[in-house]
Amino acid sequence: MSEPKAPTPAPGDTYKGWLFKWTNYIKGYQRRWFVLSNGLLSYYRTQAEMGHTCRGTINLATANIAVEDSCNFVISNGGTQTYHLKASSEVERQRWITALELAKAKAFRMQAESDDSGDDSTSPGGGQGSGSRNSEVQSTLRTLGSKVEDLSTCNDLIAKHGSALQRSLSELEGVRLGGETSEKIRQVTERATLFRITSNAMINACRDFLALAQAHSKRWQKALQAEREQRVRLEETLEQLAKQHNHLERAFRGATVLPSSKSNPAIDSKGPVPVKGDVSDEDEENEFFDACEDVQEFITVPADPKYHRRSGSNVSGISSELGMDDGTTSLDEQSLGSNPESPQSREVVPVRKRRSRIPDKPNYSLNLWSIMKNCIGKELSKIPMPVNFNEPLSMLQRLSEDLEYYELLDRGAKCQSSLEQMCYVAAFTVSSYSTTVHRTGKPFNPLLGETFELDRGQESGYRSLCEQVSHHPPAAAHHAISERGWTLRQEIALASKFRGKYLSIMPLGSIHCIFEKSNNHYTWKKVTTTVHNIIVGKLWIDQSGEIDVVNHRTGDRCHLKFAPYSYFSRDVARKVTGVVTDKDGKAHYVLSGTWDEKMECSRVMQSSRGGENGTDGRQKTVYQTLKAKELWRKTPLPEGAENMYYFSTLALTLNEPEEGVAPTDSRRRPDQRLMEQGRWEEANAEKQRLEEKQRTVRREREREANHNGSPAEEVKEPADKAEEVEIASEPSETTYKTETLHGSHPPAYSSGHQDNYKPMWFERQVDPMTGEPTHIYRGGYWEAKEQGNWDSCPDIF
């Protein structure tokens, strides 16, 4: 069988082909596949073994290469490894010898440079920038030098083999041959001599070029350094001018705009007037680009965060926040309710300084098993739990933490492409889990009618409201709206399964995100949260499952997969992967990252079926993508977070006392406040009082419902009168069957009884997108806050 012709040695000393290797006296020479790469010669039995099994490797930097005869040669590294090899022909052997000599010379140079690299790395420089630039120039010179050395090596080989050729030709001349043959031999000898002379001339020219490059490199380097220093000085000057302009503009507004708010009603009636220079003082850090070309460098001038302008419009400053240069805004001017809180004229309002610490967590030890062993045989949702296992936040406040990385939705609102917008929505979906990685404490389960208001319109442009709308199973409704063009609403009920060693919590219900400018409507559901080591060991939390983010207007979809943690898995822990596809199923972006650290996105250039089969037996899809762009990165926890329940910067401010909120707000809950202050015994007593009060109100409501003739199911109280607040039960199977018989979709949850309870600020409706019954904000809260009228609120505390 004829041997395949080996390729010519490629740049980078990479060479592959078949050779015969001596094994032993029994088997003799055996055919093996050899690969020469990066100064290493490796061999395999077959080409298929390259992916998993290497039979041997020898480093050419210290190896000796010897030629035995026309087809045989030997490679040895000093005695420990010796390869006796044979090529299929003399030409093939010569190709291998040439490639090996080149690789050996380069490997020797790289080894020598690595020995000297310690001195270069520790030498002080003028700065990181200058050091990197110098190293870049030196690297270029070293590359040129290495290429000249390669040519020199080739010249040595040519001289060596040329001399051998001339000796052979001289010997042929001594043999008595015909006149024509002698003439041919003489011509070959002359041509070999001319070839050697030409190669020597080429090597000398290359050496001259390297000498000139080294001579002029210092002059080029000085000129480049001067240009860079001049650019840095120009940037510093521009930054100073921008800061001075910013200070002058703020001083002008403080001196002239404030009085005019009362003296010029014409301006009040027309709304805010654009001010020159009202451009964003803070650029978004991780801008999303899908272009292939390099992005030009920008100069960022940070604004003074001490003051923030508010205007009569609910979308004041949106054009500057979105980076629009024309000062226009295409967003609808609407807010949660009518937002009467905003004044009708501009004013300078100092941003409230939020707290950055809470009292440290007391070191109280309590075993969960000591409580649960006394509750064997009882319904899981009825187990009473002390505050020792809680964190001083309610579930409503924990739900509001989903908005910690609201900037992702702000950036999504600026996207022109719905596919790019989908990437930001998907990253926002993942970011909501980042706060749970160390948060093993359980939030307080809200009392029925409890609310939580999060007003960040002044700092971040959004405000949200949560209300506990159902008691059994616990369910909370959430509504948030931003001046920057997006609305988020969700209703979350919890189902749980206790497996002995771990507790699985399954959130039920859909999350909706609507962008006003594009009218894109996204929905998705949450994944399963698992709390491990319930009985023994240190608690730790994992997120697992799959999420489908759907754009109902365009049909775009993002499929996210949260990989469950496995000790035996080679993947990164807490890994999340996803693919953004259009309505036709074509992939456009690939998402990757972890739910506790960051998410990146890569634009898909081409996709194909191939590669290994997945765990489910299906063939994997291979995507060719551009360089990944970072969408989201977790903000580091504040200093001392391990002593403050691992709260993030936002979580530390959620329970901060605030004036003007509703009397049902979680900040006013006494047992939660006592726990935050470290008074856990008093908090436990107060918790029992609130639970007993809630049970009494619930029984009264049920009796009233029965008296009015409303259908009500009998609700059995737990034997120990414990309030079912700690672990949510699963949805009622009976209710699900009833809904299915009537031909409708099963709801996200269903209460076990009807007691005529109606939430204060939310109304139960059938969602037009998903067809699920859900609670949607009906308005009125912010108007009541503006008027200070909370008479309709129940007394739950």
Side-chain angles (χ1 to χ4, degrees):
M1 184 177 69
S2 61
E3 296 292 337
K5 183 178 179 181
T8 305
D13 301 327
T14 301
Y15 195 57
K16 302 177 183 179
W18 291 101
L19 289 172
F20 292 90
K21 179 182 179 294
W22 175 263
T23 56
N24 50 50
Y25 285 99
I26 298 176
K27 295 184 177 180
Y29 282 96
Q30 296 293 322
R31 192 165 178 259
R32 298 289 183 261
W33 179 258
F34 280 80
V35 177
L36 172 62
S37 178
N38 296 325
L40 299 176
L41 180 65
S42 306
Y43 75 94
Y44 311 84
R45 285 188 177 179
T46 62
Q47 292 178 259
E49 280 190 349
M50 290 180 61
H52 54 85
T53 305
C54 179
R55 300 292 174 176
T57 301
I58 189 169
N59 189 350
L60 295 178
T62 57
N64 182 34
I65 304 172
V67 178
E68 290 187 338
D69 55 25
S70 60
C71 294
N72 292 36
F73 59 100
V74 180
I75 303 176
S76 175
N77 64 352
T80 57
Q81 285 179 299
T82 302
Y83 294 167
H84 294 267
L85 306 176
K86 182 171 68 173
S88 59
S89 64
E90 185 175 0
V91 175
E92 178 68 14
R93 186 212 65 175
Q94 191 55 46
R95 287 197 180 112
W96 273 104
I97 292 295
T98 302
L100 290 169
E101 291 286 357
L102 287 171
K104 178 182 176 181
K106 186 169 184 178
F108 181 78
R109 289 195 306 272
M110 292 177 62
Q111 185 176 8
E113 290 176 1
S114 64
D115 294 339
D116 298 335
S117 61
D119 298 336
D120 298 336
S121 61
T122 57
S123 61
Q128 294 182 354
S130 61
S132 62
R133 290 190 291 271
N134 293 337
S135 63
E136 183 179 355
V137 174
Q138 296 300 326
S139 175
T140 304
L141 291 177
R142 283 197 299 269
T143 302
L144 292 173
S146 67
K147 296 303 178 184
V148 174
E149 290 293 336
D150 290 345
L151 292 174
S152 179
T153 304
C154 292
N155 179 63
D156 296 337
L157 291 172
I158 291 172
K160 177 181 175 181
H161 299 300
S163 300
L165 177 62
Q166 286 181 339
R167 284 196 302 271
S168 300
L169 292 174
S170 299
E171 293 173 358
L172 288 175
E173 288 181 354
V175 180
R176 295 184 178 277
L177 299 172
E180 184 178 355
T181 304
S182 301
E183 182 64 23
K184 293 291 184 182
I185 292 175
R186 187 182 62 80
Q187 292 178 2
V188 172
T189 304
E190 291 178 355
R191 290 174 182 175
T193 304
L194 290 174
F195 179 76
R196 187 178 61 179
I197 294 172
T198 304
S199 65
N200 289 334
M202 181 179 62
I203 292 295
N204 292 333
C206 292
R207 284 204 177 101
D208 294 341
F209 170 75
L210 178 61
L212 288 172
Q214 291 175 338
H216 292 282
S217 64
K218 293 184 178 179
R219 186 179 65 183
W220 298 338
Q221 199 169 344
K222 289 181 180 179
L224 180 62
Q225 182 65 21
E227 291 293 333
R228 291 183 182 274
E229 290 176 356
Q230 185 176 1
R231 191 192 69 177
V232 170
R233 287 195 297 269
L234 180 60
E235 289 178 357
E236 293 176 352
T237 304
L238 288 174
E239 185 174 356
Q240 292 295 329
L241 289 173
K243 288 182 178 179
Q244 294 175 7
H245 175 78
N246 189 28
H247 290 311
L248 289 173
E249 184 185 68
R250 193 164 54 248
F252 172 77
R253 288 202 301 265
T256 61
V257 178
L258 267 175
S260 65
S261 63
K262 298 181 179 179
S263 60
N264 194 348
I267 297 180
D268 296 344
S269 61
K270 294 180 181 179
V273 180
V275 179
K276 183 178 180 181
D278 191 20
V279 188
S280 174
D281 292 329
E282 181 177 354
D283 295 337
E284 299 291 350
E285 293 182 352
N286 296 320
E287 195 72 24
F288 191 94
F289 296 99
D290 63 348
C292 300
E293 62 270 10
D294 295 334
V295 182
Q296 65 180 12
E297 187 176 356
F298 290 90
I299 302 174
T300 302
V301 184
D304 188 352
K306 184 177 179 182
Y307 289 94
H308 183 84
R309 180 178 55 81
R310 276 173 38 184
S311 70
S313 171
N314 295 328
V315 289
S316 61
I318 288 185
S319 60
S320 63
E321 292 292 343
L322 298 186
M324 297 180 181
D325 295 331
D326 55 1
T328 62
T329 173
S330 60
L331 303 179
D332 298 332
E333 298 185 0
Q334 63 179 19
S335 179
L336 194 60
S338 59
N339 192 18
E341 180 190 34
S342 300
Q344 296 300 316
S345 59
R346 293 185 179 181
E347 58 177 341
V348 178
V349 180
V351 176
R352 175 178 175 179
K353 183 175 178 59
R354 305 285 178 178
R355 68 181 183 181
S356 59
R357 288 198 61 83
I358 61 173
D360 289 350
K361 176 182 179 181
N363 188 17
Y364 292 157
S365 61
L366 185 62
N367 192 336
L368 179 61
W369 180 245
S370 64
I371 297 173
M372 300 190 68
K373 68 181 180 180
N374 298 321
C375 302
I376 295 176
K378 300 177 182 178
E379 187 180 347
L380 187 62
S381 64
K382 314 295 185 181
I383 299 176
M385 305 286 274
V387 299
N388 302 57
F389 295 101
N390 285 33
E391 61 181 17
L393 289 179
S394 71
M395 184 62 75
L396 302 180
Q397 292 166 319
R398 190 76 171 261
L399 193 61
S400 299
E401 280 190 73
D402 286 357
L403 297 170
E404 178 151 5
Y405 297 98
Y406 67 93
E407 300 97 337
L408 292 169
L409 297 182
D410 289 350
R411 296 172 193 169
K414 295 187 291 186
C415 291
Q416 300 298 323
S417 167
S418 62
L419 293 168
E420 292 180 16
Q421 192 176 74
M422 173 68 81
C423 292
Y424 283 112
V425 174
F428 175 79
T429 302
V430 177
S431 70
S432 63
Y433 297 97
S434 64
T435 60
T436 66
V437 62
H438 300 297
R439 301 273 288 280
T440 55
K442 182 192 178 302
F444 280 79
N445 206 66
L447 303 176
L448 188 61
E450 186 174 335
T451 60
F452 178 70
E453 164 202 334
L454 182 63
D455 190 349
R456 292 292 188 269
Q458 187 177 346
E459 303 99 317
S460 307
Y462 72 87
R463 50 171 48 172
S464 79
L465 177 67
C466 289
E467 182 179 2
Q468 188 75 358
V469 295
S470 175
H471 178 66
H472 184 73
H478 181 207
H479 187 91
I481 192 165
S482 172
E483 296 176 349
R484 296 167 191 175
W486 53 264
T487 301
L488 184 77
R489 59 179 173 86
Q490 57 183 320
E491 180 178 353
I492 300 298
L494 300 178
S496 64
K497 290 183 180 179
F498 180 57
R499 304 291 188 181
K501 291 184 179 180
Y502 63 89
L503 175 69
S504 295
I505 303 172
M506 289 78 70
L508 306 174
S510 298
I511 305 171
H512 299 253
C513 183
I514 304 99
F515 292 94
E516 298 174 7
K517 183 177 181 180
S518 60
N519 203 29
N520 288 330
H521 190 136
Y522 299 87
T523 63
W524 66 91
K525 296 179 183 292
K526 289 181 174 288
V527 296
T528 299
T529 300
T530 306
V531 184
H532 293 269
N533 294 342
I534 291 292
I535 305 302
V536 179
K538 183 178 180 181
L539 293 176
W540 62 279
I541 292 178
D542 192 24
Q543 313 286 348
S544 59
E546 298 182 2
I547 294 178
D548 278 316
V549 185
V550 181
N551 184 343
H552 292 274
R553 188 184 70 85
T554 62
D556 301 337
R557 183 180 297 267
C558 177
H559 182 75
L560 293 171
K561 183 176 181 180
F562 289 66
Y565 175 81
S566 174
Y567 179 79
F568 302 100
S569 176
R570 296 182 179 179
D571 288 336
V572 179
R574 308 180 185 93
K575 182 179 179 181
V576 181
T577 56
V579 179
V580 176
T581 57
D582 57 20
K583 63 179 180 180
D584 299 323
K586 181 182 177 181
H588 291 268
Y589 292 95
V590 173
L591 304 179
S592 62
T594 57
W595 55 263
D596 68 322
E597 184 179 355
K598 67 176 181 178
M599 284 298 292
E600 294 179 336
C601 138
S602 304
R603 187 175 184 183
V604 175
M605 303 305 295
Q606 185 177 356
S607 62
S608 60
R609 292 282 184 178
E612 300 178 358
N613 291 338
T615 56
D616 54 358
R618 293 182 299 178
Q619 200 174 28
K620 292 183 178 179
T621 303
V622 179
Y623 296 103
Q624 297 180 6
T625 63
L626 297 178
K627 185 178 179 182
K629 301 290 184 181
E630 187 175 278
L631 294 173
W632 160 76
R633 179 177 291 274
K634 180 184 177 182
T635 304
L637 294 176
E639 185 179 356
E642 64 277 3
N643 298 322
M644 299 184 293
Y645 308 89
Y646 287 98
F647 280 178
S648 63
T649 303
L650 174 64
L652 289 173
T653 66
L654 294 179
N655 204 44
E656 184 177 9
E658 188 168 329
E659 297 295 331
V661 297
T664 54
D665 197 273
S666 297
R667 300 177 182 89
R668 300 182 182 273
R669 183 164 177 166
D671 54 349
Q672 186 173 300
R673 181 66 61 192
L674 289 169
M675 184 200 173
E676 180 185 288
Q677 296 171 355
R679 299 155 63 182
W680 285 15
E681 292 184 1
E682 299 175 54
N684 276 317
E686 192 65 20
K687 182 173 180 289
Q688 292 180 8
R689 181 188 69 81
L690 292 175
E691 292 169 358
E692 181 60 35
K693 180 178 181 179
Q694 181 172 236
R695 281 193 294 272
T696 302
V697 173
R698 182 181 180 183
R699 286 192 292 267
E700 290 292 335
R701 194 164 53 245
E702 290 169 3
R703 281 196 292 267
E704 183 179 351
N706 292 332
H707 182 267
N708 294 333
S710 299
E713 299 179 11
E714 182 180 355
V715 179
K716 296 181 180 180
E717 291 292 336
D720 59 351
K721 301 295 183 181
E723 208 273 313
E724 53 272 43
V725 296
E726 298 305 330
I727 305 176
S729 64
E730 296 187 58
S732 169
E733 183 180 357
T734 304
T735 306
Y736 270 46
K737 289 180 179 178
T738 303
E739 294 285 348
T740 307
L741 288 174
H742 285 80
S744 60
H745 296 286
Y749 72 93
S750 178
S751 300
H753 64 281
Q754 301 290 335
D755 56 6
N756 288 340
Y757 176 77
K758 293 183 179 179
M760 280 291 302
W761 314 110
F762 288 82
E763 184 177 5
R764 189 172 176 84
Q765 303 175 10
V766 176
D767 189 89
M769 284 294 178
T770 62
E772 298 176 350
T774 185
H775 284 83
I776 299 177
Y777 177 71
R778 64 182 178 187
Y781 180 87
W782 304 106
E783 291 82 356
K785 181 179 180 181
E786 176 69 18
Q787 299 170 7
N789 182 9
W790 303 112
D791 296 340
S792 58
C793 292
D795 179 18
I796 61 174
F797 299 145

